[in-house]
Amino acid sequence: MPPITETLDINHLFAISEVVSNTSDLKTALDGIARLTHRILLFDNLAVYLLDKSNSLNVTYAKAMGRGQKAGAESAWGEQLASLVAEQRKTLSQSPTTTSSPDRLKNPYLLGVPLMEGKHFLGVVVLIRFGGPPYVPQHIKLAEFIARQIVLLIARQSLAQERAAIEKQQIETQIKEDFISTISHELRTPLGFIKGYTTTLLRSDTEWDVATQKEFLQIIEQETDQLQELIENILDSARLQSGQMRMAFQPVRLDVLLKDAISRLHMSNLILDAELDIDVPPHPIEGDPSRLSQVFENILNNAAKYAPGAKVYISIRQNNGKTHIAIRDTGPGIPEDSLERIFERFFRIPDTVKGTHGTGLGLFICKQIIHAHHGEIKAESTIGKGTTFHITLPDSQAAE
Ligand code: ADP
């Protein structure tokens, strides 16, 4: 059956420009243009070749509209003409040298139009008709109109990419500025305490009784711990960014790591009412004990900080070569829109962090450590009821 033909009218041009104005994705817009024009231009295939960074033409889009041709496989038919158009920077058409073959697929009529943004050559759009008829001037004009629309689409797409890159850069700069102000605050606060209490203790005009001296020294110790933790976090974060954090895998018992983490928090005077619920004593898994302890301590530490006085439930379950650890607190919870963001570098929920120390690096580091174990970490929360951190780890690293 011959293709149904349509003649060009103003409505087609409106429809094409509407597709171009309303579609930001290049492929979707080209699909729309191909659909709207193939019955006028009578092409079987359409391909768009764009110049890449190394100045070679690459097929960016290929569409077969009929006669059983596969777009991808057939995009090679336009390459030769695309190169010629690229050289001459003008519209070129090619007819078959002989039309004696009864197979229309052997008689291709090609039309190539350069994509020019001013004097700037971007690529070529190539159309093919199997078995003719040859392109008439009105069709060539329409093809050139389409080429101009494609140029507009490409220009808009590269503007959008540039805008996205600028926005990304602005966000990164903002994050860096926030980081510097958070870090300087977090460094200055413990340093101020340490300096203040040391100077007080050393004053030659005052005698301090033993109890007071001990109280001051305890404050100095706590603030030094705070400072040490902060510095470790900053270093870990820098190591992660430069890909230098190596895991030392060995068999580890997660219940033992969790019990140790709880005891360490108790020793550092952090109030934590934690209950460990273990189904069956878990078998060892392959992991880096000190890094996994760091993850557990950070999550438990957060529970003590952001859900003070709340009970914490910890469970470990093993199934199908995976271990699932759930750490649930009964604290204030985390808003839905922050559940993923808490794992971002430097992110802290403004409402929950008042009066607490922190940099927003802890959970970011936890996530990287769990990923380095080929595991997953996520948070689930109900406001007013509490938060659960779920960690899933494969039992063996070799199996991953
Ligand atoms: P930091 O504690 O240094 O701020 P984290 O990366 O460990 O950084 O945590 C990021 C943020 O997630 C915290 O600032 C806090 O707002 C929120 N958060 C973490 N754990 C909890 C929790 N158990 N309950 C409520 N909010 C939490």
Side-chain angles (χ1 to χ4, degrees):
M1 196 173 73
I4 306 157
T5 60
E6 286 176 20
T7 39
L8 178 67
D9 69 29
I10 191 89
N11 290 328
H12 286 109
L13 299 181
F14 269 128
I16 295 169
S17 75
E18 205 157 300
V19 165
V20 173
S21 326
N22 298 336
T23 325
S24 51
D25 174 57
L26 186 63
K27 183 184 173 301
T28 316
L30 287 170
D31 279 345
I33 292 176
R35 187 172 31 79
L36 284 166
T37 55
H38 93 279
R39 281 187 188 156
I40 307 165
L41 280 174
L42 293 177
F43 62 82
D44 292 300
N45 290 358
L46 174 150
V48 176
Y49 297 79
L50 293 183
L51 218 52
D52 65 13
K53 285 198 183 89
S54 60
N55 258 353
S56 27
L57 281 176
N58 282 314
V59 189
T60 307
Y61 176 86
K63 183 90 181 166
M65 297 305 288
R67 308 193 216 185
Q69 297 303 303
K70 284 248 167 9
E74 291 305 319
S75 53
W77 44 254
E79 255 163 39
Q80 203 197 358
L81 180 65
S83 305
L84 274 178
V85 173
E87 260 169 52
Q88 301 183 23
R89 308 271 160 110
K90 62 176 193 190
T91 301
L92 295 174
S93 61
Q94 270 179 356
S95 305
T97 36
T98 135
T99 49
S100 54
S101 170
D103 182 357
R104 9 183 313 135
L105 298 181
K106 299 235 162 72
N107 301 326
Y109 288 74
L110 291 156
L111 180 68
V113 184
L115 299 170
M116 303 295 296
E117 193 185 22
K119 286 193 175 142
H120 197 57
F121 173 76
L122 303 179
V124 185
V125 53
V126 181
L127 304 176
I128 190 167
R129 285 174 179 170
F130 292 110
Y135 295 90
V136 296
Q138 196 208 20
H139 289 164
I140 294 175
K141 270 218 167 85
L142 178 60
E144 287 174 341
F145 172 78
I146 291 174
R148 276 197 289 274
Q149 303 305 307
I150 295 174
V151 169
L152 286 180
L153 277 167
I154 296 168
R156 212 175 55 211
Q157 202 177 45
S158 70
L159 264 183
Q161 279 164 357
E162 270 167 37
R163 197 182 313 131
I166 292 173
E167 275 168 13
K168 193 168 165 239
Q169 217 170 22
Q170 278 170 342
I171 293 171
E172 277 167 10
T173 313
Q174 185 62 43
I175 287 177
K176 275 186 198 143
E177 279 168 13
D178 290 352
F179 171 66
I180 292 170
S181 75
T182 311
I183 294 291
S184 31
H185 171 78
E186 292 293 322
L187 283 173
R188 279 205 190 105
T189 313
L191 266 180
F193 276 110
I194 295 166
K195 171 76 180 154
Y197 281 98
T198 318
T199 312
T200 311
L201 277 173
L202 288 172
R203 274 174 70 159
S204 50
D205 57 347
T206 320
E207 285 281 316
W208 301 104
D209 58 49
V210 176
T212 313
Q213 284 182 21
K214 198 167 174 204
E215 190 194 329
F216 288 1
L217 285 171
Q218 268 167 350
I219 296 172
I220 293 174
E221 191 192 26
Q222 273 170 22
E223 296 301 320
T224 315
D225 287 346
Q226 181 87 28
L227 210 61
Q228 199 171 2
E229 189 190 312
L230 174 68
I231 292 168
E232 285 302 327
N233 272 349
I234 297 170
L235 289 177
D236 277 351
S237 164
R239 279 186 206 117
L240 281 166
Q241 285 221 304
S242 59
Q244 281 173 357
M245 192 190 268
R246 303 256 174 276
M247 298 293 139
F249 294 121
Q250 61 187 76
V252 285
R253 285 266 308 272
L254 295 173
D255 53 333
V256 175
L257 293 188
L258 275 158
K259 278 182 199 147
D260 288 351
I262 297 170
S263 328
R264 269 197 298 279
L265 289 182
H266 284 153
M267 276 194 300
S268 62
N269 288 332
L270 266 169
I271 323 272
L272 185 81
D273 181 9
E275 194 178 290
L276 199 57
D277 161 31
I278 298 168
D279 206 9
V280 231
H283 54 250
I285 71 155
E286 244 177 274
D288 181 322
S290 69
R291 291 300 175 191
L292 290 176
S293 296
Q294 186 179 348
V295 172
F296 299 146
E297 256 174 64
N298 192 88
I299 295 175
L300 294 170
N301 204 333
N302 279 352
K305 265 200 296 189
Y306 305 113
K311 182 128 187 116
V312 176
Y313 300 91
I314 306 164
S315 70
I316 308 177
R317 299 278 180 269
Q318 289 182 313
N319 222 320
N320 291 333
K322 285 197 162 101
T323 302
H324 173 239
I325 304 129
I327 303 176
R328 174 167 72 90
D329 68 52
T330 48
I334 294 174
E336 170 93 45
D337 58 358
S338 295
L339 280 174
E340 286 194 15
R341 298 207 63 199
I342 54 172
F343 296 101
E344 286 172 17
R345 212 168 170 236
F346 308 132
F347 182 79
R348 306 191 80 207
I349 306 169
D351 295 341
T352 59
V353 296
K354 285 188 194 101
T356 59
H357 282 293
T359 52
L361 285 173
L363 288 175
F364 166 77
I365 294 169
C366 291
K367 188 169 184 165
Q368 310 300 317
I369 293 175
I370 297 299
H371 281 180
H373 282 77
H374 306 102
E376 286 299 329
I377 180 168
K378 63 175 186 183
E380 201 179 64
S381 189
T382 310
I383 293 293
K385 294 228 162 118
T387 305
T388 309
F389 284 88
H390 296 276
I391 299 173
T392 313
L393 290 166
D395 289 357
S396 144
Q397 292 301 318
E400 286 298 304

